[in-house]
Amino acid sequence: MTSGIWILGDQLFEEQAALQSCVGQRETTPILLIESAAHAQERPYHRQKLVLVWSAMRHFAEELRQAGWHVTYAIAPDFQTALLDWIQTHGITELRVMKPADRPFLTWLRSLSLPCPLTLLPNNHFLWQPEEFSAWAKGRKNLLLEYFYREGRQRFGVLMEGKQPIGGQWNFDKENRKPPKGKLNPPKPLWFEPDDITLSVIDRVQSGKFSAYGEIEPFRWAVSRSQALQVLDHFIRDRLPGFGSYQDAMVTGELTMWHALLSPYLNLGLLHPLEVIRAAEQAYYDENLDLNSVEGFIRQVLGWREYLYGLAHYVDEDYPQRNYFQHHRPLPDFFWDADRTEMNCLHQTLKAIEQTGYAHHIQRLMILSNFALIAGLSPQEVEQWFHAVFIDAYDWVMQTNVIGMGLFADGGILASKPYAASANYVNKMSDYCKSCRYSPTKRTGDDACPFNFFYWDFLNRHRTKLETQGRMSFILKNLDKMSPDELGEIRRRAIEFFEGEPIR
């Protein structure tokens, strides 16, 4: 019997379940990592995403070799060819794999015709197993994040005093919505210079064989666990103290604000969610940090991240194809080229993504997803774009986050109402409108902000469906205050923005 382990590209930690199952036989257990060209070509991925994943995989392979494991690192046309060759070469009689986080990849893996049995071990890179999430969700009328988050706080004893939350309340989100007034000075993020391994990956991605997006240099992301731990320490020390109040703010030239920049490393396996949560919690006790900052950050990891993963494995398999509002407009070209839009908020956000593969959660939700929702863009095209361009994107993240939270295409499984907003929100929470040719206060006219006429056109087109969302009734009453002429002009502007093609 020869058990071999295939380590996937987002499972890069030595405590992962498949490795731990053979830790006592490391000298005789073959290990495989595969760098698949075909997988890299499934989407026009951001070049820095390809560099990050492949460089992190190569660094991890070296770390495993130094720890005494026998590692094969295959640079191959596709996964299946490399996997079958490795199984035959090493006489593998049992293939062990930690369960993929992505449901489509798990389905593909199970469909393979292998010459040996496949053993799937539970994915211990998440705090909740899919079966545990299903047990929590069973029989509930709704699956709101807030209730799941509270369950997680109690289950893992995070920021708790007995059975009660520290500070007397579970959620301090209302304190974390300050607009960016005055001069803000966010701390600079911790970046790294590429080493020889990373430089070789950059050369591979630059070879022209990949239909990719975005700028490849300067590449400054962490690519190893030791570097990721440095980013975690830097966040806890220099960024977490100011994280809370301005976590929803957007400022020109400030790409990262106080955000942690840990999601790429969490999603690769370089950091474990519980060590990140405990580090933030300990800083609250040791450094007397503001509770709204610490709780707000922990909610993103213990709440939101775990919730998305559980939900991705809980919903029906047709979830990625949901389209509640029946929006079918193709993705505009400016999503691939920021210089093709005159909307400054979109330009600033899209330009940052081109340069780094990153934008923070409010830019993703209230600029990109908000625009896609009210402009009637296809949820499937938007989700595919998010998956391609963001450095921390995977199926389990984006299918629920974009289809559910961002575009309400699931009809309310994830969110209690659509996150639709006019230019007023953008103007309040950013400085983008000050340098834009459009006016954030106008709904009609040549300088009317598209966020305004798209917003009101969206409400008018979908009024019947939106009336069933109780939290929308007050807003919808404003449509009755508009004249038929104004609503007609709003509709015309929404059509003309896309060169005369009506929104369907």
Side-chain angles (χ1 to χ4, degrees), residues 131-407:
E131 298 78 13
E132 294 172 320
F133 184 92
S134 296
W136 171 83
K138 186 177 180 180
R140 291 178 177 269
K141 293 182 179 180
N142 57 62
L143 304 178
L144 293 182
L145 165 67
E146 181 64 25
Y147 300 125
F148 175 79
Y149 169 58
R150 293 180 184 185
E151 185 95 1
R153 288 269 297 274
Q154 293 172 319
R155 180 179 180 182
F156 295 98
V158 177
L159 294 179
M160 298 292 294
E161 291 179 324
K163 295 183 179 181
Q164 299 302 315
I166 287 177
Q169 61 190 66
W170 295 98
N171 187 318
F172 290 84
D173 198 35
K174 291 181 180 179
E175 297 181 26
N176 294 341
R177 299 171 181 167
K178 287 187 178 180
K181 293 182 179 179
K183 178 64 175 176
L184 300 180
N185 294 296
K188 294 188 180 300
L190 179 62
W191 297 119
F192 300 89
E193 290 297 320
D195 62 8
D196 289 342
I197 292 176
T198 301
L199 289 173
S200 69
V201 178
I202 290 174
D203 288 342
R204 172 165 160 76
V205 175
Q206 282 181 323
S207 66
K209 297 178 181 178
F210 305 102
S211 176
Y213 159 87
E215 300 173 13
I216 197 168
E217 293 179 311
F219 180 88
R220 299 176 293 180
W221 296 95
V223 292
S224 66
R225 173 160 171 79
S226 62
Q227 288 183 340
L229 285 170
Q230 291 179 56
V231 178
L232 174 59
D233 290 343
H234 180 265
F235 169 68
I236 297 297
R237 183 183 66 249
D238 297 339
R239 301 172 74 83
L240 180 57
F243 171 77
S245 298
Y246 296 104
Q247 66 172 280
D248 287 4
M250 299 168 282
V251 177
T252 302
E254 295 290 350
L255 303 186
T256 63
M257 298 294 283
W258 279 268
H259 289 271
L261 304 180
L262 295 175
S263 57
Y265 316 131
L266 278 165
N267 293 353
L268 280 173
L270 300 180
L271 295 174
H272 192 275
L274 194 58
E275 74 178 327
V276 171
I277 292 165
R278 294 301 186 199
E281 182 186 32
Q282 194 61 45
Y284 168 74
Y285 293 121
D286 292 347
E287 306 298 332
N288 195 30
L289 301 185
D290 290 339
L291 185 55
N292 67 301
S293 286
V294 177
E295 184 278 319
F297 171 71
I298 287 176
R299 181 161 19 99
Q300 292 188 2
V301 183
L302 178 60
W304 191 241
R305 185 176 186 274
E306 293 291 324
Y307 175 75
L308 288 180
Y309 175 69
L311 195 65
H313 288 267
Y314 176 77
V315 295
D316 294 335
E317 290 191 8
D318 70 343
Y319 186 89
Q321 304 308 315
R322 302 286 178 89
N323 195 343
Y324 180 70
F325 293 115
Q326 290 301 302
H327 285 166
H328 300 287
R329 183 178 298 287
L331 199 72
D333 289 342
F334 61 74
F335 269 68
W336 298 107
D337 182 358
D339 291 335
R340 299 185 68 171
T341 178
E342 294 183 290
M343 297 175 66
N344 191 44
C345 58
L346 281 170
H347 180 269
Q348 294 292 333
T349 302
L350 292 167
K351 203 67 177 177
I353 298 168
E354 288 178 9
Q355 294 169 352
T356 65
Y358 175 82
H360 71 67
H361 69 278
I362 291 299
Q363 292 169 311
R364 300 188 197 201
L365 178 64
M366 300 308 299
I367 301 293
L368 300 171
S369 295
N370 182 19
F371 178 84
L373 170 64
I374 61 180
L377 305 188
S378 161
Q380 285 66 46
E381 288 200 27
V382 176
E383 189 274 330
Q384 287 291 314
W385 179 84
F386 265 77
H387 193 148
V389 306
F390 279 108
I391 201 156
D392 53 6
Y394 297 88
D395 278 320
W396 67 268
V397 180
M398 290 307 172
Q399 288 182 354
T400 44
N401 216 346
V402 177
I403 299 295
M405 182 72 168
L407 301 185

